[in-house]
Amino acid sequence: MASGFDESTSSSSSMGNGGNEAGNFECNICFDLPQDPIVTLCGHLYCWPCLYKWLHIHSHSQECPVCKALVQEEKLVPIYGRGKTPTDPRSKSVPGIHIPNRPAGQRPETAPPPNINNFSPHGFGLMGGFAPMATARFGSFTLSAAFGGLFSSLFNLQVHGFPNATLYGATPGFPYGFPNAFHGGHTPFFPQQPANQEQQADNYLKLLLLVIGVLVILALISS
Amino acid sequence: MTSSSAPSRKALSKIACNRLQKELVEWQVNPPAGFKHKVTDNLQRWVIEVNGASGTLYANETYQLQVDFPEHYPMEAPQVIFIPPAPQHPHIYSNGHICLDILYDSWSPAMTVSSICISILSMLSSSTAKQRPADNDRYVKNCRNGRSPKETRWWFHDDKV
C-alpha cells in the first residue's frame, strides 16, 4: 500500500501510534487537540477559533461541519479541563480577524444542600407543603358548601388532601389571615412520618382542620 | 491542458500544513480502498490514482486525481480534478472538472481528502452510462483560459449519480 512513503512526516509521526484514540478529542477542523475547546449541541468538538472562523468567515451557513445541524452560538458548550492552555492563544489568530472570546458555560444555580428537614419532624420546611393545600381547598368549599355540610366536607378534605400535600410548592400567603404560629405548632405531625405515626398524625390533622373550619366560618361571618 | 492550471499559488498556512500532514499520516495508516497516493515532495498538490471499482462501468480502469490545496485549507475546499483523460461520466467534463457539490458549495472543513476520494468513487460507481455531460463542449471551451473549477458556478441538479 503506502510503499512509496519515505517522506518527512516525522513531525506528525509522534501522534501516529496513538492517533486513533486521541482522535476522540481532536478538533474536527484542524485535527489537533482543541484550543479553547467547545462542543456543539450535536456533540461535535472544535477549537473555538476554528469553529468561529468557519461560521463567520468561510461559511455562509450556521451548520455544524460534521453533521450539518444548526449551530447557535449561545448554545455552544465550552469545555473547561484542568490544565492551562498549553498554546499561545494567539497561535490561531489571523491578521485582520478578531476572534471574540469563547462563549462561557451556562452555569445552573448552585445545587441546594441535602434537605435534612425531610427526615426530621421539626422545622418549618414541612409547613411549606401543608399550607397551600389548605388554602386551595378552602377556596373551593367556601364558595360551594353550605355551613351545615362544612364539617363533613372537612373530613373528606382531610382524607383526600393530605397524601398529595407535598406536591404543592412554596407557601403562598394565607388568604384568610390565619396566624402563622397556628400552623407552625402542628407541622410536626405532617404525614411524611413512618407509617406507624400516620394514624396519630391523621387525628391531629382532623382536629386541626376542624379548628381551621371554625376560623373560616368566623372569618366569613366577620367579613 | 487545463489540469496544469494551478490555483492561486499561495503557500499553505501553518494550520493547513499541520492538518495536511495529519491527513497524510492517516492516509498511510488507513488508505481508502481503491486509491493510491503518488508520492511527491509537494504537500500542496497531491496526485492520487483511482481504480474503478469492480462490478462497475469503470472496473479495471485507472485514473488520476489532482488535488490542490488552498492557503486556508480546510476552511476552503481543495481543487479536485481528474488529470485527462478523465473518466467518461455524466458529471465529469473532458477537461477533468468534476461536478460534485462537496467540492464547492457543500464543502465542510470536517471533510478530508480521503472522504472526497470515497465520494468520487461512489459517484463513478453509481453511473449507468459512460457519457459526457450534455454541455461538455461549451463548458470546456469556456475554461480554455485555464479557469479553475472552483470559479465555476455549478448547478447541482442530479442526486442519483
Side-chain angles (χ1 to χ4, degrees), chain A residues 1 4-5 7 29 32 65, chain B residues 18-19 22 28 39-40 75 108:
Chain A
M1 39 173 239
F5 276 114
E7 253 185 9
I29 292 180
D32 253 329
Chain B
N18 207 352
R19 183 170 136 158
K22 283 172 188 286
Q28 286 174 279
V39 179
T40 63
M75 294 298 178
S108 141

Side-chain angles (χ1 to χ4, degrees), chain A residues 17-57:
Chain A
N17 46 2
N20 275 341
E21 296 109 72
N24 286 331
F25 300 100
E26 282 168 5
C27 165
N28 278 290
I29 292 180
C30 68
F31 295 5
D32 253 329
L33 278 182
Q35 170 201 326
D36 292 344
I38 200 146
V39 73
T40 57
L41 275 192
C42 46
H44 295 112
L45 177 66
Y46 302 95
C47 305
W48 165 242
C50 285
L51 185 63
Y52 180 86
K53 279 187 271 178
W54 171 249
L55 293 179
H56 289 269
I57 299 159

Side-chain angles (χ1 to χ4, degrees), chain B residues 32-92:
Chain B
F35 294 89
K36 199 171 155 193
H37 175 272
K38 294 178 82 175
V39 179
T40 63
D41 55 0
N42 188 353
L43 193 63
Q44 194 162 7
R45 169 174 288 179
W46 294 20
V47 177
I48 295 167
E49 228 173 64
V50 192
N51 289 308
S54 59
T56 70
L57 290 179
Y58 307 90
N60 303 318
E61 295 176 18
T62 301
Y63 298 96
Q64 291 200 322
L65 282 170
Q66 177 180 286
V67 187
D68 284 292
F69 298 96
E71 178 190 6
H72 292 299
Y73 180 80
M75 294 298 178
E76 296 162 13
Q79 175 198 289
V80 184
I81 56 176
F82 277 101
I83 299 174
Q88 298 237 347
H89 184 281
H91 298 163
I92 300 173

Side-chain angles (χ1 to χ4, degrees), chain B residues 27 47-48 50 52 68 78 99 114 119 138 155:
Chain B
W27 180 295
V47 177
I48 295 167
V50 192
D68 284 292
C99 178
S114 180
S119 292
R138 189 163 46 94
W155 179 48

Side-chain angles (χ1 to χ4, degrees), chain A residues 11-118:
Chain A
S11 65
S12 41
S13 62
S14 54
M15 53 75 73
N17 46 2
N20 275 341
E21 296 109 72
N24 286 331
F25 300 100
E26 282 168 5
C27 165
N28 278 290
I29 292 180
C30 68
F31 295 5
D32 253 329
L33 278 182
Q35 170 201 326
D36 292 344
I38 200 146
V39 73
T40 57
L41 275 192
C42 46
H44 295 112
L45 177 66
Y46 302 95
C47 305
W48 165 242
C50 285
L51 185 63
Y52 180 86
K53 279 187 271 178
W54 171 249
L55 293 179
H56 289 269
I57 299 159
H58 296 279
S59 166
H60 305 291
S61 61
Q62 293 289 306
E63 285 177 355
C64 170
V66 174
C67 73
K68 295 184 184 293
L70 180 69
V71 173
Q72 292 167 284
E73 249 170 67
E74 65 276 11
K75 291 189 180 162
L76 292 172
V77 179
I79 296 179
Y80 302 128
R82 184 172 160 274
K84 289 183 179 143
T85 316
T87 54
D88 185 334
R90 291 161 296 182
S91 63
K92 286 204 169 114
S93 67
V94 178
I97 297 169
H98 171 69
I99 295 174
N101 286 336
R102 173 168 58 153
Q106 295 175 25
R107 189 172 178 276
E109 279 177 50
T110 304
N115 193 355
I116 46 170
N117 284 342
N118 281 348

